[in-house]
Each structure stands twice: as structure tokens, then as C-alpha cells.
Amino acid sequence: MTAPTPHTPPFRDPHLPFAKRIDDLLSRLTPEEKIGALHQFTPAVERLGIAAFRTGQEALHGVAWMGPATVFPQAVGLGATWNPELVRRVGEAVSRETRAMRARDERVGLNVWAPTVNLLRHPLWGRNEEGYSEDPRLTSAIATAYTRGLRGDHPVYWRTAPVLKHWLAHNNETARDTASSSVRPRVLHEYDLRAFRDAVEAGAVAGVMPAYNLVNGRPNHVSPYLREQLRTWTEEELLVCSDAGAPSNLVDSEHYFDTHEEAVAASLRAGVDSFTDHGTDSSVIVGRLEAALRQGLLTEAEIDGAVRRQLSVRFRLGEFDPGEDPYGNGGDGGDGGVPQAEGRADEHAFDTPEHRALAQEAAEQAVVLLKNDGLLPLAPAPARVAVVGLLADECKLDWYSGTLIHRSTPLEGLYERFGAERVEFTEGVDRVLLRTSSGAFLHVPPAPDSADEVRGAAGALDPALLAGRTDLAPLTAGPEGTELALVDWGEGVLTLRAPDGRYLSVAEDGYLRASADQPGGWVVQETFRLEPHGGGHLLRHVGTGRHVQVTADGVKVAAENAESTEHTGSAGSPEEVTAGEGPAASAPEVFELIVTENGEEAVARAAAQADVVVVVAGNDPHINGRETEDRTTLRLPAQQELLLRAARVANPNTVLVLVSAYPYAVDPTDLPAVLWTAHGGQAAGTALARVLAGDVSPAGRLPQTWYAKDADLPGLLDYDVIGSRQTYLYFGGTPLFPFGHGLSYAAFAYGELTARAEGRAVRVSFTVTNTGAVPADEVAQLYTRAVDPSVPRPLRELVAHRRLTLAPGETAEVVFELPLSAFAFWDVAVGRWRVEPGRYELLAGASSTDVRQWTTVTLDGEPSVPRPVLGHGLDAADYDEQSGTEIVDRTRESGDAVTPAAGQEGELVFRRCDFGEGATEVTVEVSGEGSVELSLDDGPVLATLSPAAPSDPYDYVTLEAPLARAGAPAATAGVHRVRLGLRGALRLARVGFSG
């Protein structure tokens, strides 16, 4: 007899549409299995042959956290290329390596959490390195390209499933889980939403991740915009993954809900589909969701919707179609989760020559030449080059980097390009000995051959949990000291490095060891502060906040509560400290700092003997500006400024190379050449050397404004880019270097700019000619400006750009088709986009300020009309101008209200309000305690409305009052400017008028 063919369930049938297959699979899952699927780590369903699944594989500029991988330039560096096609190829390489790594390690996920599309609104944001640009259109262009590369080009199956981070208006690490971004409707639509929307509408995005912060008083994890905006932009199912620990924050730190059951239910109803909380332990979240379902806070249909969106991603990744998946290892094959590897060989490409070449190409294209008085390129090669600075022999990684397979520092790149015999290196750090109060010296014991272990080389699902090494001997104190490199990173933070390159670090047992290849970790254990005390210094370990002491069994940090000391104050100065007294085991040690070599003097000597000096300065991505820590200043750290000055005084032929994750305010006046590049990944040094030598003409462009001084910056938590005149769009001052700036070794001429309106678009064309003597890239940029707008509009707004490669004498025609929507703004008077009729300038050139050609075009548009306030009223958040206010949540679910900022009196202004034949009465929807004062134009107060008693902030009352004006309603007839004064702890939701 022939055995019967096993029945294939519909969800396994690749010939059926995904929607029908998901319906079938959902019908087979139990309620418990569905709820289990809502945690980041979804367990297997063995009875159905369904594998375990996890959301979240970091892949910002290469596969991160899971061991060796190709490391591309930081995201801000990819933004500086202004080259979407290059970035698409980078995304493609990253997705291929993700597949290749998953084929050998099932911990590697295919739902990648990248890219970050938060706009680089404020250059002091600690995570500046993760974004692409301060401009929403450039950000969306680069993000769209990266997601297309990550997704792959198959019409059905995806190579990886990218998730955009972090929804929404998130640019501060300071109080990041409790601070609220006050975002007016125009800023919301024209700025923050735009970068997300364009990328989602392009069709290569699988979902988004909400940010830790609140927007308008409401946590992003219960944001109504997930449904009202995000899910209206595409017909694809979008997966919303929470940020790590954020669901618990809704109760624990934000106190937005009273219980965790309320919090998870509200998050899921708002649109969160996958909960990243409590690491790999799903039991806590599952328990909360089950309780929420029992309590009636959730319905099974709402749970089904979230599971459906996760399954949609899994089906697109080919998990259930191992025979059909062109990328080879997404499927479980019905075997419970063993990854398959049957795809084409090129779909498993890993560390290939092509990927290495691409990493170098990306690093080269990211270099921005900020200034050049003719010193560059260094061709013919100078007889002697001095390479100095803290970053000169470093290839730094950040929190979202993979582990380096290949490594090229600026020094190594210059050795390779010019020959080691022509290059002299001086780091510029002080070499020191630390002597104890007893006369002994700190000593680093010899390390075994295994001491060169690289942090994270084995990979980790959560590298924050990686512990420091305890297999090495701790430091001791004795008659012979070890000379340490004291690296001053600014703001009193330093690292100490042993002669063999290992950094002093503190492990969980509290002992100091020379054990780290680089500073790093979620809590950096390699940073210290020297605090003056008596005739010497206390050494405080920053990670633990404790002082270093010398004990009989080694050097360690004091046990918690064991030392008689207070933590440093806000200025970093220690309070009462008892040191050098009592038992040695419990007293912080007082060290004498003995400088054996002065770094500044060493730089001066090297510079004086060279033909050209290359000073490489910048930041360590784990220190003084990173996730969880914003910067405090634009200034280059003081010690690096001293090194730069020493080099420049000794040798006028000094090139400053800034290698950093963010802009600096440096004075370029006395410097003949300045370059900037983000941390450029594995090929950074080779790329930089080729640019310095002239093998490659630099063509990177600044993706954000470089301000000249701290005083030019808005407050870190001020998100009103319009009212506070932020970014190149509205900043009226003189920047150090403008948005879009970047020089070349060639020269370019622009010509023949024409623009004409054709139906629903404007066609713009112009030519670019390389008038220089070398082949080079130019980034042609097109900006627009409304000539006579009725509301504040950008001074200039990027609408298109193109990176061109031109040979000497070659001319290219650049043509852009701009939809009329490119000229629109969000009109709060009507609650939608509107193109205003009138003249618009079109400006073509090499940066936002280097305009080479311009013309004007007249658009018909849609005329503005006054706000019909009679019968319609005014939503408080739809103001035209404000002072002293912030937007807050009207209810926990949706809507906005306005409240005076803490300690201030607020004012809202609504222009061009049409009262028709006049109004006699005003009403307000308000909660809390205080008063609302109404006036028209610049006239007196016509009405004051005050809630009778304090109330719950969400308990609104409607108050009414007559308009006390002689001749009312006739006196209020016509069009007026409405002013509302807000006093006290109240929330204003809406104002109404009647006649």
C-alpha cells in the first residue's frame, strides 16, 4: 500500500497569499501561544513545527554585537556621503552578512533594528552618531536607500526586515525616559514625521521602534500617531517593536499608568506589537498581558492584530517557505528552528573583497574637506610627515558596531601611503607614574599571551551584560612602577593605558586590571577622574563612582559605603574625604602624579622636525557623548586644543583632521587645512590617507550645521525648530560651517538653471562642469525658498540633490522633477498641507550658502483664508506663535492641550481669525487651576476665565464668559489676531466663540 501524503496546512502552502496563510496560522494558535508571541523572544510552537523567533538585530552600520563583521562608517558618516546609491549598497552588504552570520549562529536575527532616522536637530545630542542629517529630506533619502539594501530586491521575500528608530522627536539623552518633547503641529508634520513618512512610503520598511521619551506629554509607546499617521502611509503590515525596558518605564519611571497591566494594554492598543522588556525572560511581560486580558483591558482581537503583524514579517522573511526563499536561511523548514543555508552563495557573502572595498569607498566618500588654503593634497609626498593626536593611531568603534575583522588607523594609512620611514608618530598623551602615599608605585603585572582578547568577539544578544575580565592579575603597588599613558578626554574624564596597549578597567570583583582592548560597555569601566586632595590626587573610577585604594591583595575600588567620602558634586569637586588615614583596606589612596613625558612638548618636537603635521583629534564614541549621555559643549576638549596649538606654533603647515561623531566648534583661522570625518569603520585610516594624498578628491558634505559657539544653540529640550530658529532651515546667525558644506580638489561651475511648472510638478534643470584638473565628485544641491510667505518658512530648504562624478572638463546636466508638495507647508488653520500661491526661489549650488545659480517660479497654489472661529473655534495647540508654553496630552489616549511652562506665564497667538459679524461669548475647555485671558490684536483683556478649583489634569470643564467690549459683537467683527494668556497650573484644550 502507498502511504497517504501528509496533509499540508494552508499556512505552509507557498502558493496561497500571505494574508490567507496568516489567517490559517492564527486560527491554529492558542491564546497562550499568541500572547507568548508578543515578547521579543517568541518561543517555538513545537506542535506546529514553528521555530522560536526574536525581533531585534542591531545593524546600524554593519552587523552589531554578534562578533566579527564588516564595519562601515558611522551613520552620520554615511549621511555625509550624500550618496543614496552608495548607502543602498552598504545596506545590501550588511543584509548579506546578516544572512551569512545567521547560517552559522541562530542567535543572529533577521528583523534588523536600523536605520535611525531621528533628525540631528541638536549637535550636543549624545547619539548624534546614529542619525544621518538635521534635514528631513536628506535623512529620508539616505534611510530609504539603506532600507532598500537591507530589504533586498525580491518582489515577495525580504533578505532582512528593517525597523526604523526611534519614533518620535527624540534628541536628548538627558532624562530621556521622562522628558517630554513639545512639538507643535507644523514641526511635527514638516520636520519630525517627514523623515519617517518618506522612508515608509518607499516600501522597504518593516516597522518602527518608539523612543523612550514623551511627545507632548504622552509616552511614545502609547503614541496615537502610530495609528493616526504611521499605519496610514502604507498598505503593508508594520511591526512596532518597543525599545528595551520602555513598557516597564510607563509605570516605573514615567508613572503614566498605575499598573503594568494598564501599561501593556495601552501600548498594544496604541500599536505596539512586540515587547522588548526583561531581556530573554518573557514571563514577566506574558504575565502582564494575560492579566490585562483577564481584566478586560485587552481583547483577543487586539492581540490577534499584533500577532498578525509579527507573522507578516516572518512570512516575508521566508521562514515558512524554505524552498522558495531566495535568500536561503530564513526558514525553519518545519524542523523547529535549524537555520537553512540553501540560498545562492552571494546571498551569504561575508567579509568578501567586495565588502572590504565598499567599506573603503564609503569611508572615502564620507570625508569632508572643511577648509583648504592650498596645503592639500600632500602631493608630491612631503619628505617628513608628523602624525600626532589622540585619534592618530585609533580605529574607534561605537556601541552599535560589530567587532573589527580588519583595522586601519590614520597612522597605518599614512604608513601605507607614504612609507613608514617618512612618517613620525606622537600620540601627545602624558606618560605618568602613580606613586602612593607610602612611596610605592602602581604596577601592571605581565599578561599572558591570551590577554589580547577583544571585547565582544564572541557576540552577545545583550552586550550590556558582558562582564569585565577577572582572569588577569590585578594591579599591585611596589618599588617598580609601570608608566601609564594618561589620555585626557575632556571634562575631567581620562583613561589610563598600559605600555602593551591594554586599558585599566574595573571588573565586577572591584579590582583594577589592565584588561580592556578599548573603553566600552554600557557602563564604561575604563574611565577615571583625578581629584586634587591634599598634596596629591584621589583617583575616582567613573563607572562605580568609587575611589581607588591599595590593599594587600591588589589595587581595587573601595567597596560600597566602605570609604569615608561623598560623591563628587556637579562641578566634579569632591566633598569631605578621609584618605590616607585608618586601615589601608578601607581608605582611598592619595596618589602623587609623576609626569615622565609631557604630551604637549612631544607634539611640539615632532611638529618642528616635519614638513607637514597632521593633527588627528576628536572623540571616543564611548566617552563624553554617547547613548545615555549628552555633550555639554561644542568645544574641542581642552587638552586636544593644547596639542593642536602646540603643533601649529611649531609648524604652520598643520592639517587638522577631526574624527568625531558630532560637530565641534574649532577656530580654523590659523589652520591652512581642516577635514572632518565620522568614525569611518575598518577602512578609515586607508581612506583618510588617500584623501590627504590626493588619490581621492574629497566630496563629503556636512549633513548638519556646524555652529560657531555654544551660545548659538537652542536649549537641548527645545524642539520648536521654527520658533527657536533651529537648524539651517531657520538659523539666522553665521555658522562655523554651513549645512551641505564641503570642498574639493577640483572646481565646479554651475550654469543654465531653468525652472518651469508643468502640471503638478516643477521641472528644474542646470549644468555642472568640472573646471579643475582632477577627476572629482560634486554634490549638486537644490534649495527652495518662499519669497513672500504668510507664515515663517525656512530660509532655505533642501528639495533635491545629486552626487556626480566628473572628469576634468566634463559637463553633466542635472534634472529634478519636484512635485508641488515639495513647496507645501502644514497649515494649522486648516489642519493639512497647503501650497501657498506666489513666487518661490530655486537655488542651485554647492551648499546651503554657496549658491551658484538661482531663479524664481510662480505657483498658483491655494490661497489662504482666515480661520472661521465662529462655530469652529480654536484648538489650543494650533497656535501660530507662542511663548512660555509647552504642549501636553489632552487625554492619555489622544489629543493635545497647552500649559504654561514651569514657573512661567504663557501666551498663544492665533493670526487672522475671522469672527464674521462678531462674537459675544467665549468658551474654553480647560483643566487644572489658573486663568485664561483673551484679547484681540493689541487691545485690552476682553475676558478672563478661571477654573473654580484644582482638578485632575484630564478632568476638563467648559467655562464661558461674555466678551466685555463696548459695542460687542460689532467691535469683534471681522478678522483679528487672538491672544490667549495662560496663568497657573492649567491645561487649555480648546477655545470656542459664539455670537
Side-chain angles (χ1 to χ4, degrees):
M1 294 178 62
T2 302
T5 302
H7 172 67
T8 300
F11 79 87
R12 293 282 184 190
D13 185 350
H15 300 100
L16 291 177
F18 283 162
K20 289 186 177 297
R21 299 172 67 184
I22 293 171
D23 286 341
D24 176 69
L25 181 51
L26 270 174
S27 72
R28 297 170 185 271
L29 295 174
T30 67
E32 293 76 18
E33 289 166 343
K34 292 175 184 177
I35 290 177
L38 299 180
H39 188 262
Q40 178 190 17
F41 289 87
T42 297
V45 182
E46 295 180 1
R47 66 183 183 86
L48 297 177
I50 297 174
F53 180 80
R54 80 171 175 97
T55 61
Q57 172 61 58
E58 300 293 352
L60 186 59
H61 54 108
V63 183
W65 298 4
M66 302 308 298
T70 302
V71 180
F72 294 94
Q74 291 179 305
V76 68
L78 294 176
T81 69
W82 288 57
N83 190 340
E85 175 53 25
L86 171 78
V87 175
R88 185 201 62 78
R89 289 189 286 127
V90 170
E92 184 176 74
V94 172
S95 67
R96 292 183 191 278
E97 295 206 349
T98 304
R99 285 278 180 163
M101 294 170 72
R102 178 170 171 78
R104 60 175 185 262
D105 183 352
E106 64 181 9
R107 297 178 304 166
V108 177
L110 298 181
N111 169 225
V112 294
W113 287 352
T116 296
V117 296
N118 298 108
L119 299 167
L120 304 184
R121 173 191 62 88
H122 203 294
L124 297 185
W125 182 34
R127 301 177 77 170
N128 193 86
E129 65 200 23
E130 296 183 36
Y132 292 130
S133 172
E134 70 182 11
D135 180 77
R137 284 194 175 91
L138 179 58
T139 293
S140 63
I142 300 296
T144 297
Y146 194 60
T147 57
R148 281 176 170 156
L150 290 171
R151 181 213 182 282
D153 55 9
H154 192 275
V156 176
Y157 297 102
W158 294 34
R159 192 182 291 114
T160 63
V163 164
L164 304 180
K165 303 194 298 187
H166 307 86
W167 178 282
L168 184 69
H170 180 61
N171 288 127
N172 59 280
E173 299 307 291
T174 303
R176 67 174 182 168
D177 63 329
T178 57
S180 177
S181 307
S182 183
V183 183
R184 62 198 284 189
R186 279 196 62 195
V187 174
L188 176 71
H189 290 276
E190 295 178 28
Y191 196 66
D192 288 295
L193 285 177
R194 175 172 271 166
F196 283 91
R197 178 169 187 163
D198 291 353
V200 170
E201 289 183 338
V205 172
V208 304
M209 172 187 286
Y212 285 116
N213 65 306
L214 298 81
V215 170
N216 297 344
R218 185 181 296 106
N220 271 313
H221 282 75
V222 290
S223 171
Y225 303 133
L226 293 172
R227 294 189 184 277
E228 294 172 4
Q229 298 292 330
L230 174 70
R231 288 196 164 124
T232 67
W233 299 337
T234 177
E235 295 182 357
E236 291 275 10
E237 297 279 13
L238 293 175
L239 176 69
V240 176
C241 303
S242 86
D243 209 338
S248 290
N249 289 347
L250 291 168
V251 175
D252 296 343
S253 61
E254 295 164 350
H255 309 299
Y256 201 71
F257 296 99
D258 293 330
T259 70
H260 287 291
E261 290 75 19
E262 291 175 298
V264 295
S267 298
L268 190 139
R269 289 198 309 271
V272 174
D273 307 307
S274 177
F275 291 81
T276 312
D277 211 335
H278 290 81
T280 59
D281 179 9
S282 64
S283 64
V284 177
I285 286 295
V286 166
R288 292 171 181 174
L289 287 163
E290 289 175 339
L293 183 61
R294 287 195 303 270
Q295 295 170 24
L297 301 173
L298 282 175
T299 66
E300 290 190 26
E302 289 168 332
I303 292 171
D304 283 356
V307 177
R308 173 182 297 277
R309 287 185 280 272
Q310 184 191 113
L311 289 175
S312 174
V313 169
R314 295 174 71 171
F315 272 92
R316 278 178 275 173
L317 287 171
E319 176 179 338
F320 300 97
D321 300 330
E324 305 289 330
D325 177 14
Y327 304 121
N329 65 348
D332 64 358
D335 60 6
V338 178
Q340 305 297 305
E342 302 172 356
R344 304 191 308 268
D346 62 341
E347 293 301 343
H348 296 155
F350 180 82
D351 184 34
T352 61
E354 292 78 14
H355 288 186
R356 295 172 213 158
L358 181 60
Q360 179 177 319
E361 181 184 0
E364 290 171 355
Q365 292 204 19
V367 176
V368 182
L369 180 60
L370 298 173
K371 179 183 178 181
N372 187 22
D373 289 344
L375 181 59
L376 296 179
L378 302 178
R384 193 154 192 81
V385 180
V387 186
V388 304
L390 305 190
L391 277 296
D393 195 25
E394 294 283 359
C395 186
K396 293 289 188 183
L397 300 178
D398 60 34
W399 181 245
Y400 292 104
S401 294
T403 303
L404 288 168
I405 305 173
H406 311 281
R407 175 182 183 271
S408 173
T409 72
L411 176 64
E412 291 167 341
L414 289 167
Y415 278 165
E416 179 185 5
R417 179 59 180 80
F418 294 121
E421 70 282 357
R422 292 187 175 188
V423 179
E424 180 178 350
F425 166 61
T426 300
E427 187 178 11
V429 300
D430 289 345
R431 311 283 171 177
V432 302
L433 296 170
L434 291 174
R435 183 159 56 193
T436 70
S437 56
S438 66
F441 293 91
L442 286 196
H443 174 70
V444 178
D449 293 338
S450 61
D452 59 353
E453 178 181 305
V454 174
R455 186 197 311 269
L461 289 175
D462 186 354
L465 302 179
L466 291 175
R469 298 183 64 182
T470 57
D471 58 320
L472 302 176
L475 271 64
T476 60
E480 292 189 8
T482 300
E483 186 180 72
L484 301 171
L486 189 158
V487 187
D488 184 345
W489 293 105
E491 301 189 42
V493 178
L494 57 93
T495 54
L496 295 165
R497 193 177 65 238
D500 64 359
R502 293 175 294 139
Y503 285 82
L504 270 57
S505 183
V506 175
E508 290 180 346
D509 61 5
Y511 284 94
L512 265 71
R513 296 175 175 85
S515 59
D517 62 306
Q518 284 285 339
W522 185 249
V523 177
V524 177
Q525 301 294 344
E526 294 78 37
T527 52
F528 300 85
R529 294 182 184 273
L530 281 170
E531 302 173 347
H533 183 80
H537 292 83
L538 300 172
L539 184 62
R540 186 186 292 274
H541 178 244
V542 175
T544 60
R546 303 175 199 165
H547 289 117
V548 172
Q549 59 183 201
V550 178
T551 69
D553 54 351
V555 179
K556 62 191 301 185
V557 296
E560 191 171 6
N561 300 323
E563 58 182 84
S564 177
T565 179
E566 298 291 332
H567 285 288
T568 55
S570 60
S573 57
E575 306 295 336
E576 295 295 327
V577 177
T578 302
E581 304 172 4
S586 62
E589 184 60 59
V590 179
F591 293 99
E592 179 187 358
L593 190 70
I594 301 173
V595 179
T596 59
E597 180 181 82
N598 181 282
E600 191 178 345
E601 294 174 357
V603 165
R605 287 194 300 271
Q609 298 169 6
D611 297 301
V612 175
V613 185
V614 178
V615 178
V616 189
N619 79 304
D620 184 310
H622 287 95
I623 301 173
N624 291 348
R626 51 160 291 172
E627 185 170 359
T628 74
E629 181 184 5
D630 295 310
R631 285 196 296 166
T632 61
T633 180
L634 292 170
R635 292 282 302 275
L636 194 66
Q639 180 62 25
Q640 296 196 60
E641 287 187 336
L642 291 175
L643 297 182
L644 175 60
R645 187 178 304 123
R648 178 65 182 84
V649 169
N651 191 325
N653 293 327
T654 295
V655 180
L656 172 61
V657 176
L658 292 168
V659 180
S660 66
Y662 35 61
Y664 282 112
V666 295
D667 183 359
T669 304
D670 295 329
L671 295 168
V674 182
L675 300 96
W676 169 74
T677 180
H679 295 278
Q682 65 186 48
T686 299
L688 178 62
R690 282 172 49 80
V691 170
L692 290 170
D695 302 330
V696 176
S697 179
R701 299 293 183 264
L702 290 181
Q704 64 190 127
T705 302
W706 281 42
Y707 296 93
K709 55 187 181 299
D710 291 340
D712 291 337
L713 298 177
L716 183 66
L717 299 180
D718 183 352
Y719 279 75
D720 188 356
V721 297
I722 299 174
S724 299
R725 317 300 294 174
Q726 299 178 35
T727 76
Y728 85 97
L729 295 166
Y730 294 97
F731 179 62
T734 302
L736 180 67
F737 297 109
F739 173 78
H741 173 71
L743 305 177
S744 173
Y745 296 152
F748 298 91
Y750 286 65
E752 303 177 25
L753 175 64
T754 63
R756 65 177 183 273
E758 298 177 339
R760 299 296 299 171
V762 175
R763 187 179 190 276
V764 181
S765 67
F766 55 91
T767 61
V768 180
T769 301
N770 182 348
T771 60
V774 297
D777 284 8
E778 170 70 336
V779 179
Q781 303 167 40
L782 182 66
Y783 296 84
T784 185
R785 185 181 77 86
V787 175
D788 188 23
S790 61
V791 298
R793 297 288 299 273
L795 302 173
R796 270 162 204 177
E797 184 175 10
L798 182 72
V799 288
H801 76 277
R802 186 165 301 154
R803 183 159 176 153
L804 308 165
T805 300
L806 298 173
E810 184 179 358
T811 297
E813 182 183 21
V814 181
V815 179
F816 297 118
E817 295 282 343
L818 305 178
L820 288 186
S821 59
F823 302 87
F825 74 102
W826 184 263
D827 189 347
V828 292
V830 293
R832 56 179 171 78
W833 293 95
R834 184 170 67 87
V835 177
E836 195 164 30
R839 292 188 303 138
Y840 291 82
E841 290 180 347
L842 290 160
L843 310 105
S847 82
S848 59
T849 61
D850 185 4
V851 175
R852 309 290 183 84
Q853 293 277 307
W854 69 275
T855 189
T856 60
V857 62
T858 300
L859 302 179
D860 293 336
E862 177 185 354
S864 65
V865 295
R867 302 184 194 224
V869 296
L870 280 178
H872 292 81
L874 296 167
D875 285 332
D878 283 341
Y879 54 77
D880 290 299
E881 302 171 23
Q882 69 85 29
S883 64
T885 72
E886 59 185 32
I887 303 177
V888 292
D889 51 336
R890 183 172 181 174
T891 71
R892 284 190 174 90
E893 290 76 29
S894 64
D896 294 330
V898 179
T899 188
Q904 299 186 49
E905 295 183 350
E907 182 180 73
L908 305 178
V909 177
F910 302 81
R911 293 194 298 265
R912 301 191 67 214
C913 296
D914 187 355
F915 286 82
E917 296 181 357
T920 58
E921 188 175 74
V922 58
T923 61
V924 296
E925 292 179 32
V926 65
S927 70
E929 183 179 23
S931 64
V932 180
E933 297 176 349
L934 168 71
S935 61
L936 299 183
D937 304 318
D938 296 319
V941 173
L942 301 182
T944 300
L945 303 96
S946 302
S951 63
D952 181 279
Y954 303 114
D955 185 11
Y956 286 85
V957 296
T958 299
L959 305 179
E960 57 186 40
L963 291 175
R965 186 168 185 177
T972 60
V975 177
H976 298 275
R977 185 170 61 253
V978 173
R979 293 182 180 273
L980 299 176
L982 306 184
R983 313 286 183 263
L986 56 74
R987 297 182 175 205
L988 175 66
R990 185 170 175 78
V991 182
F993 300 93
S994 59

